[in-house]
Amino acid sequence: MAANYLSGKEIRAIAKENKKVMKRLEAYKYRKCDESEYLTEMKNAENILEIDDLHTYFFTDQGVVKAVNGVSFDIPKNATVGVVGESGCGKSVTSMSVMRLLQAPTGQIYSGEIRFKAKDKDGTVKTYDIAKMPMRDIFKIRGNEIAMIFQEPMTSLNPVFTIGQQLDEVTFIHDPEATKEDAKARSIEMLNLVGIAMPERVYNAFPHELSGGMRQRVMISMALASNPRLIIADEPTTALDVTIQAQILDLLRDLKTKIDGSIMLITHDLGIIAEMADYVVVMYAGKVIEKGTVQEIFHNPMHPYTIGLQKSKPTLQSDSDTLFNIPGNVPNPINMPDHCYFKERCTNCIGKCSGEYPGMIQVSPTHFVACHLYEEDQKNG
Amino acid sequence: MSENTKNDTKEEVVDSELPLDKNVRLMSPARMVVRRFFRSKLSIVGLIMVVGLFIFSFLGPLVYTQWGEIELDESGKTEYSVTETTYTVDGREYTVRQTTEKSLKDNFLAPPSSEHILGTDNEGYDIFVRLMYGGRISLIVSFIAVFLITILGVIMGGIAGFFGGVIDNIIMRACDILICLPGIPILLIISTILDASEIDAKYRIYLLMIYLTFISWPGTARLVRGQILSLREQEYMVAAEAMGYSTGRKIFKHLVPNVMPQLIVSMSLSLGSMILYEATLSYLNLGVKAPYAAWGTMINIISTNQDILQNHLNVWVPAGVCIVIAVLGFNFIGDGLRDALDPKARR
Amino acid sequence: MADKKIIEAYDPEAILEVRNLRKCFPLKKTLTGKVTQELIAVDDVSFKLKPGETLGIVGESGCGKTTLGRAILKLHQPTSGKIIFEGQDITDFKSSQMREIRKKMQIIFQDPYSSLPPRSTVGGILSEPVTVHNIVPKAEVKDYVLDLMDKCGLRDYYYERYPHEFSGGQRQRICIARALSVNPKLVICDEPVSALDVSIQAQIINLLKKLQQDMNLTYMFISHDLSVVKFISDKIGVMYLGSMVEYGTKEEIFSNPLHPYTQALFSAIPHPDPNFKMNRIILKGDIPSPANPPKGCRFHTRCPYAKDICKEVTPEYKDHGNGHCAACHLLDEQ
């Protein structure tokens, strides 16, 4: 179907436009500026991270991919926020935006604010807008205040260094005056914390000598070593076997009580969210379509997508013969229509759905949903 | 709800996909390759260099017909030599100046002029024209050699990679032995043999290229074998096996097309090295022999004549520049193609 | 290891019968080619499969479930044991003999991205097996393929497109269509949905179920996810480190799991309800390496009920009533 391909003229136009925007955003990223330029205030002092209307775009040859397209949610202190959605919904890109780890120069934060409450070296609490921070200042928070656990424990450890060397490094970066003995003691303590039975042996081991579950434990201990205020766990158990996943989830639940920080848990598995999270954010095609507490999302899901997602997940307890399924596919993120992105797959469409994208409707103090179906309720109530 | 979904699922899938699908316009695979190729400035430079050289050597002689490849400029010139002899007779000095006029048939070592754009060499051939003809030889010869190398390499590497075991061992050990052979000394021997058997100067370069093919195919064979070994583990090859396809179909319809990108890259890179080989051979007086032109032969002049090396740069520098342009050009294109054809490339 | 039983008469009802199948991969060889260390990927697995049935094989990574599937298709030559397909012993068939059998046995892979050749169009991928095996006359191939695409929920204009233009779910549909293009009787589904999103998973499972009814297919459905297997299987086999630890009908396995490993697998799956409190059995330690499996019962290193006998003696795999088989010393005592 040649007609479905872009013509040479269109390709050149896209490339020209992309180049212009990317150049501007890259220059902005590497600008020199004073700290005051990216200091800001939290909307709610109880929150540790506030993402406000974040737009993260990828400027590809085929057009602009709006991977994160106006996402807003908060992470309160000492809470676990679960971000759930299917592949390509922008959940990982959101976390990468917070860490400023986007693949440059294609991936760029286009607009929006990421407010993060960080402690300075001398202990004063400051609120930074991560989205505006220049790259040279990002070390203030990255790895220090925000730590990340990746999906693939097989590849996220450097194979040529021992576990001990990699763990000690974190301590040295955090506290440059630490002695070797201090660092080792701290590393062993961290390994103990994540339930590794023989920390001394693991300390001297190379990553390839450990199993997947053990490596993920090490990754978690690395994330904890710098005492972060926020841990981003991006699909921490997806690459693991079920019985190992149960161990890791048990560990994370246990750690929640031990550490003084929040967890942003990104996963596609509703079961994990139900077990782990306090608040849930459901994303679809780069937008938040529903957010609320875990009770609200699981016992009173409102958006047809959330409902469908919960129904289509096979469980051991249900007895029905066939699975409910959401028809169609996740839309390709280039050239998104203006109307609700879920319209084509939705079984409860109303006339309004062809109109513009629905706004966020507040159903309860904590429960928000983006669907035209509930607009009437709001007006009446 | 779950009861009725099963039956109407398919219909919904089909109908609901359409509108969003229509919005999505992708790049065709060919365009994607072109786009990635032209993203790098170097590959554009390389392409300009190579295309320029092609036009220069293949179309140039048709346009610029003032001189032929082995046409001597016989306009001749008169060379005067002055000898001074001083006699001392009765305390007075007498200087006798003797001028000899020598009329030469050929106009050699002429400086660049409107007659000869880059001047003439020590024989009286037009350098500019010989550059074009030299380019023809160099490009044709290296293309032939690269094609031969690729064909031989694909067949041998394909067989070794696909069948494995003893066949693989035999072919790969043969490769190892060939790689151990010292190239230049053997070339010298072969060239001497060719000299002795009085083969036409025009054709001996082709014979030497066949020899080059013979010692260069192991590189390609190893590349193809490595690719096929990794492709064989891909699930679509297991699927082809499970489909019960014949061996020939598996190799030629499923494996070889997927090796092509790497092959094209290695071909363009080896074109550069073949041009260098050709130049080296000609420089060592093993390749194209006078009166026929090749870039290497044109540089070879300086090895016998100190005066030209120092005072007549126009004789040998242009040929050197052509060699550099050709080799760089092919290497830039090769690098560009590598990036363009790599399916794992980002964006 | 159970003694090799004398081959009984083949069960005429079964489409596939696997007897004491073993597959070892050599790890280390001496210079003379003698194998000094080997990895026992599949160890003494036996089962029967009736036409139209679905057998679910569940297990974690390294348990040999993929190798089992490929050994049945003879993509790996089994080390010992018998594979009987439609009353024929195909264990020692040569590749030329297998070519005919391949029409009747097909496989769907886990990764829809690497299992489609990147340089052919969808039409090319689907019509190739049809022409090679002469399923329909040449003139009808395109209509046949379009009909097949329609059955699998693919639009007809996909015919000219390349696989990279599709999402995972659509690619998996193409893979299913390719497997079904030769009208197979047995399809081995090797984790066909584990690389897909939840909403797409449900579509593919429903599609597989529908096609099974329409075309009277027999499935062997390999997965690590018990909840997925539950929806599609009639019989379920649970594998651990190469051997079958429990086998029975779906109802039996789900209502009365006998083996402690099956019980642990059940409890490990997170339940999508925040108020659901489950008595979770968390297994300690990691899955041992299949290259160096523990002595005795392979599960004893992680088993919460392990006893001394488990460390020494391999439990016998036997019937505990109603064709519900399991291999565990605890069951023998009761």
Side-chain angles (χ1 to χ4, degrees):
Chain A
M1 290 260 152
N4 205 52
Y5 291 131
L6 289 163
S7 71
K9 209 172 155 190
E10 285 168 305
I11 290 170
R12 278 190 292 277
I14 290 170
K16 204 176 152 194
E17 185 61 30
N18 281 355
K19 211 171 157 187
K20 215 171 75 190
V21 182
M22 264 155 41
K23 207 172 160 191
R24 176 169 64 82
L25 292 172
E26 278 291 292
Y28 186 71
K29 242 164 78 177
Y30 290 101
R31 78 197 191 283
K32 282 185 185 158
C33 77
D34 199 50
E35 198 183 69
S36 60
E37 212 176 295
Y38 54 83
L39 276 180
T40 170
E41 280 304 314
M42 281 300 202
K43 282 222 173 101
N44 184 344
E46 283 302 300
N47 291 338
I48 186 154
L49 182 83
E50 290 177 353
I51 297 177
D52 199 349
D53 199 26
L54 179 71
H55 290 258
T56 302
Y57 295 169
F58 286 88
F59 297 93
T60 69
D61 283 342
Q62 329 214 347
V64 180
V65 176
K66 296 180 179 174
V68 173
N69 193 4
V71 163
S72 314
F73 62 88
D74 308 330
I75 298 180
K77 220 176 234 168
N78 295 338
T80 302
V81 175
V83 181
V84 68
E86 296 180 290
S87 53
C89 75
K91 53 189 196 302
S92 283
V93 179
T94 309
S95 70
M96 288 299 191
S97 307
V98 173
M99 292 296 276
R100 293 294 295 273
L101 284 173
L102 295 164
Q103 178 98 23
T106 30
Q108 301 283 355
I109 297 179
Y110 190 76
S111 67
E113 283 189 9
I114 304 168
R115 292 184 292 269
F116 178 68
K117 209 191 275 179
K119 259 203 194 95
D120 217 359
K121 280 218 178 77
D122 45 18
T124 48
V125 176
K126 283 179 179 168
T127 305
Y128 294 128
D129 183 352
I130 298 177
K132 287 203 179 64
M133 257 179 153
M135 288 312 267
R136 51 208 288 272
D137 290 346
I138 213 78
F139 66 89
K140 282 184 190 166
I141 53 138
R142 189 198 276 171
N144 247 333
E145 298 275 322
I146 306 180
M148 193 153 182
I149 303 165
F150 293 94
Q151 173 175 356
E152 207 45 80
M154 299 294 163
T155 51
S156 33
L157 284 167
N158 191 333
V160 298
F161 296 112
T162 62
I163 300 296
Q165 284 168 321
Q166 299 187 49
L167 267 170
D168 288 353
E169 207 182 347
V170 182
T171 315
F172 286 132
I173 291 168
H174 191 60
D175 177 13
E177 275 133 52
T179 62
K180 254 194 164 158
E181 287 70 38
D182 291 345
K184 185 172 177 181
R186 170 114 183 113
S187 303
I188 301 270
E189 184 197 327
M190 283 298 134
L191 290 174
N192 257 323
L193 187 68
V194 294
I196 286 176
M198 284 170 288
E200 287 281 351
R201 225 186 76 191
V202 172
Y203 184 86
N204 291 318
F206 283 95
H208 69 89
E209 297 171 53
L210 304 179
S211 67
M214 288 283 254
R215 279 186 235 191
Q216 199 58 297
R217 280 173 195 267
V218 171
M219 285 305 293
I220 294 171
S221 74
M222 262 172 113
L224 294 175
S226 59
N227 255 333
R229 294 157 67 81
L230 174 67
I231 298 173
I232 300 177
D234 189 354
E235 305 256 11
T237 58
T238 309
L240 305 174
D241 282 314
V242 244
T243 54
I244 309 295
Q245 166 176 302
Q247 293 173 357
I248 297 289
L249 289 181
D250 198 48
L251 167 70
L252 281 175
R253 232 188 339 259
D254 190 39
L255 286 174
K256 237 169 85 175
T257 54
K258 286 188 191 161
I259 59 161
D260 174 34
S262 309
I263 300 176
M264 175 172 160
L265 179 69
I266 295 165
T267 178
H268 66 274
D269 191 335
L270 284 166
I272 294 174
I273 292 279
E275 274 192 22
M276 302 288 302
D278 305 313
Y279 299 92
V280 183
V281 177
V282 186
M283 286 184 70
Y284 184 75
K287 293 229 183 222
V288 174
I289 52 145
E290 190 167 3
K291 58 186 174 185
T293 63
V294 70
Q295 296 290 339
E296 284 164 340
I297 296 290
F298 282 94
H299 291 146
N300 182 24
M302 300 194 83
H303 197 284
Y305 177 67
T306 321
I307 298 171
L309 209 56
Q310 286 184 22
K311 273 201 201 153
S312 56
K313 162 106 186 142
T315 58
L316 294 177
Q317 285 73 24
S318 58
D319 284 322
S320 101
D321 218 27
T322 49
L323 279 169
F324 174 82
N325 68 44
I326 307 174
N329 288 294
V330 181
N332 192 309
I334 303 172
N335 298 334
M336 283 290 219
D338 283 333
H339 55 72
C340 175
Y341 299 161
F342 192 60
K343 186 189 148 224
E344 272 76 17
R345 305 176 69 188
C346 189
T347 43
N348 305 344
C349 262
I350 52 172
K352 238 180 162 180
C353 292
S354 312
E356 61 179 50
Y357 196 88
M360 270 287 174
I361 298 155
Q362 189 165 18
V363 212
S364 82
T366 47
H367 195 176
F368 296 83
V369 64
C371 182
H372 286 301
L373 286 175
Y374 303 101
E375 271 168 15
E376 286 307 307
D377 300 357
Q378 197 195 24
K379 271 174 206 159
N380 299 340
Chain B
M1 201 143 189
S2 50
E3 264 71 42
N4 63 5
T5 42
K6 206 195 114 198
N7 294 328
D8 50 31
T9 302
K10 209 193 77 201
E11 227 163 33
E12 273 177 41
V13 170
V14 168
D15 286 336
S16 62
E17 257 175 31
L18 189 59
L20 283 179
D21 241 29
K22 276 275 156 79
N23 272 324
V24 179
R25 311 253 317 272
L26 294 169
M27 245 189 235
S28 64
R31 270 201 203 284
M32 211 130 57
V33 170
V34 172
R35 173 95 206 107
R36 279 202 293 251
F37 180 77
F38 284 111
R39 177 171 290 128
S40 148
K41 297 236 161 47
L42 271 187
S43 39
I44 301 175
V45 173
L47 198 65
I48 292 172
M49 283 172 161
V50 169
V51 169
L53 273 185
F54 264 89
I55 294 174
F56 175 69
S57 3
F58 286 93
L59 296 182
L62 305 178
V63 179
Y64 187 80
T65 48
Q66 223 161 323
W67 300 96
E69 185 189 8
I70 45 173
E71 190 182 346
L72 285 170
D73 179 2
E74 293 180 345
S75 63
K77 56 182 176 184
T78 320
E79 206 167 68
Y80 298 97
S81 52
V82 180
T83 38
E84 260 181 34
T85 332
T86 313
Y87 303 95
T88 317
V89 179
D90 303 340
R92 289 185 65 180
E93 280 188 7
Y94 297 92
T95 309
V96 177
R97 211 170 274 159
Q98 193 180 10
T99 308
T100 329
E101 188 188 299
K102 196 172 158 196
S103 198
L104 292 166
K105 199 172 147 219
D106 301 336
N107 179 14
F108 59 89
L109 288 179
S113 64
S114 57
E115 186 97 346
H116 299 282
I117 293 177
L118 287 171
T120 56
D121 65 5
N122 57 346
E123 302 280 340
Y125 297 120
D126 185 281
I127 291 168
F128 187 69
V129 169
R130 280 173 77 81
L131 268 187
M132 300 192 217
Y133 282 98
R136 275 188 182 189
I137 291 274
S138 297
L139 292 173
I140 290 174
V141 156
S142 30
F143 265 89
I144 291 174
V146 165
F147 270 106
L148 289 178
I149 290 171
T150 309
I151 290 168
L152 201 57
V154 167
I155 293 173
M156 297 306 243
I159 292 172
F162 189 81
F163 291 103
V166 183
I167 301 171
D168 182 24
N169 253 327
I170 292 171
I171 293 177
M172 282 301 118
R173 294 302 81 77
C175 285
D176 292 343
I177 291 168
L178 283 175
I179 284 169
C180 292
L181 291 181
I184 297 289
I186 294 179
L187 271 178
L188 288 169
I189 297 166
I190 292 181
S191 159
T192 321
I193 297 169
L194 290 181
D195 272 349
S197 52
E198 285 173 358
I199 283 175
D200 189 352
K202 226 174 183 171
Y203 301 114
R204 48 182 290 143
I205 186 73
Y206 295 103
L207 290 171
L208 288 173
M209 276 297 154
I210 289 171
Y211 166 72
L212 274 185
T213 308
F214 180 67
I215 61 162
S216 309
W217 67 265
T220 313
R222 279 187 169 178
L223 173 99
V224 172
R225 174 180 173 268
Q227 277 296 318
I228 284 186
L229 282 185
S230 76
L231 285 174
R232 236 170 40 149
E233 298 306 312
Q234 292 277 317
E235 275 186 343
Y236 63 84
M237 283 314 297
V238 184
E241 169 79 37
M243 269 301 165
Y245 294 157
S246 63
T247 310
R249 180 174 276 274
K250 272 186 292 195
I251 296 182
F252 292 106
K253 280 210 78 171
H254 291 254
L255 282 176
V256 172
N258 289 300
V259 185
M260 274 322 275
Q262 280 79 7
L263 266 185
I264 292 172
V265 171
S266 97
M267 277 167 83
S268 57
L269 290 177
S270 48
L271 271 175
S273 59
M274 280 303 131
I275 285 192
L276 272 185
Y277 251 122
E278 191 276 330
T280 315
L281 287 177
S282 300
Y283 179 81
L284 293 175
N285 225 344
L286 304 176
V288 178
K289 285 215 162 154
Y292 297 104
W295 291 338
T297 332
M298 291 169 76
I299 297 180
N300 174 267
I301 293 167
I302 58 171
S303 64
T304 50
N305 198 330
Q306 273 287 301
D307 179 47
I308 293 174
L309 177 65
Q310 285 176 358
N311 301 325
H312 298 279
L313 293 178
N314 64 314
V315 175
W316 58 275
V317 168
V321 170
C322 280
I323 293 173
V324 170
I325 288 177
V327 175
L328 273 184
F330 281 121
N331 278 312
F332 287 163
I333 290 181
D335 280 344
L337 281 175
R338 194 202 324 263
D339 295 344
L341 293 171
D342 185 3
K344 282 182 228 90
R346 294 297 229 135
R347 291 200 287 176
Chain C
M1 242 117 292
D3 294 332
K4 296 274 167 293
K5 286 175 196 128
I6 305 146
I7 308 271
E8 307 143 26
Y10 306 135
D11 188 343
E13 272 181 44
I15 180 168
L16 175 77
E17 192 175 340
V18 171
R19 277 193 207 161
N20 306 91
L21 190 72
R22 250 172 89 88
K23 173 67 196 170
C24 307
F25 293 104
L27 283 181
K28 276 185 195 160
K29 277 186 188 170
T30 58
L31 270 178
T32 49
K34 210 180 147 204
V35 178
T36 52
Q37 194 191 353
E38 51 183 12
L39 184 152
I40 305 168
V42 176
D43 189 5
D44 209 16
V45 170
S46 313
F47 61 84
K48 282 177 194 169
L49 197 50
K50 290 201 179 80
E53 265 187 348
T54 302
L55 168 70
I57 300 280
V58 189
E60 295 177 285
S61 57
C63 75
K65 53 191 193 302
T66 298
T67 313
L68 174 65
R70 294 195 180 184
I72 290 172
L73 277 176
K74 298 237 339 210
L75 296 172
H76 298 312
Q77 177 62 32
T79 312
S80 66
K82 285 247 174 297
I83 304 161
I84 299 143
F85 180 73
E86 288 193 318
Q88 271 178 300
D89 183 353
I90 61 165
T91 325
D92 297 318
F93 268 27
K94 291 190 201 77
S95 57
S96 54
Q97 285 171 294
M98 272 313 285
R99 219 160 271 160
E100 273 307 298
I101 303 288
R102 299 244 185 259
K103 271 198 281 189
K104 300 177 188 162
M105 297 164 106
Q106 272 305 314
I107 182 165
I108 300 166
F109 295 96
Q110 169 177 7
D111 183 2
Y113 290 89
S114 72
S115 55
L116 291 173
R119 277 163 224 283
S120 319
T121 58
V122 174
I125 293 168
L126 296 183
S127 39
E128 191 177 4
V130 182
T131 33
V132 168
H133 287 292
N134 281 324
I135 306 291
V136 291
K138 261 215 166 110
E140 294 166 31
V141 169
K142 191 167 180 182
D143 290 332
Y144 178 83
V145 168
L146 287 175
D147 182 50
L148 188 71
M149 283 168 72
D150 184 52
K151 267 191 205 158
C152 297
L154 293 162
R155 297 189 61 85
D156 51 0
Y157 64 81
Y158 291 173
Y159 194 85
E160 304 276 328
R161 300 249 191 121
Y162 287 89
H164 73 92
E165 297 173 34
F166 296 100
S167 64
Q170 286 165 314
R171 280 162 163 261
Q172 201 58 286
R173 283 174 196 268
I174 300 171
C175 292
I176 293 172
R178 175 177 61 184
L180 298 185
S181 63
V182 289
N183 277 326
K185 294 196 171 134
L186 171 72
V187 180
I188 293 177
C189 310
D190 187 358
E191 305 236 20
V193 296
S194 45
L196 306 176
D197 284 316
V198 186
S199 71
I200 309 295
Q201 268 188 14
Q203 286 179 11
I204 297 292
I205 293 173
N206 285 347
L207 174 71
L208 284 171
K209 279 196 112 172
K210 187 179 149 282
L211 290 168
Q212 180 169 36
Q213 285 168 4
D214 293 354
M215 302 174 76
N216 194 23
L217 299 168
T218 310
Y219 286 145
M220 184 170 141
F221 194 95
I222 298 166
S223 179
H224 66 272
D225 192 343
L226 262 175
S227 45
V228 169
V229 165
K230 186 191 170 193
F231 270 87
I232 197 155
S233 310
D234 304 308
K235 300 242 175 80
I236 288 174
V238 182
M239 285 183 77
Y240 186 78
L241 274 183
S243 46
M244 194 85 96
V245 294
E246 189 163 359
Y247 174 86
T249 60
K250 176 169 83 178
E251 292 74 22
E252 276 280 339
I253 297 264
F254 276 82
S255 60
N256 179 26
L258 293 174
H259 199 278
Y261 177 65
T262 317
Q263 292 163 7
L265 263 187
F266 278 131
S267 83
I269 297 165
H271 191 261
D273 181 348
N275 293 345
F276 188 87
K277 289 283 167 279
M278 191 189 268
N279 233 349
R280 175 159 292 171
I281 310 164
I282 290 182
L283 295 177
K284 41 188 186 179
D286 290 309
I287 307 164
S289 155
N292 188 17
K295 243 180 96 185
C297 172
R298 300 212 163 147
F299 187 56
H300 83 255
T301 53
R302 304 176 75 202
C303 183
Y305 316 111
K307 290 190 199 143
D308 288 343
I309 184 173
C310 303
K311 291 175 191 162
E312 298 299 330
V313 186
T314 312
E316 202 182 329
Y317 176 74
K318 59 185 176 195
D319 198 334
H320 291 270
N322 298 335
H324 190 157
C325 306
C328 183
H329 287 301
L330 293 167
L331 301 167
D332 296 347
E333 286 167 18
Q334 288 160 7

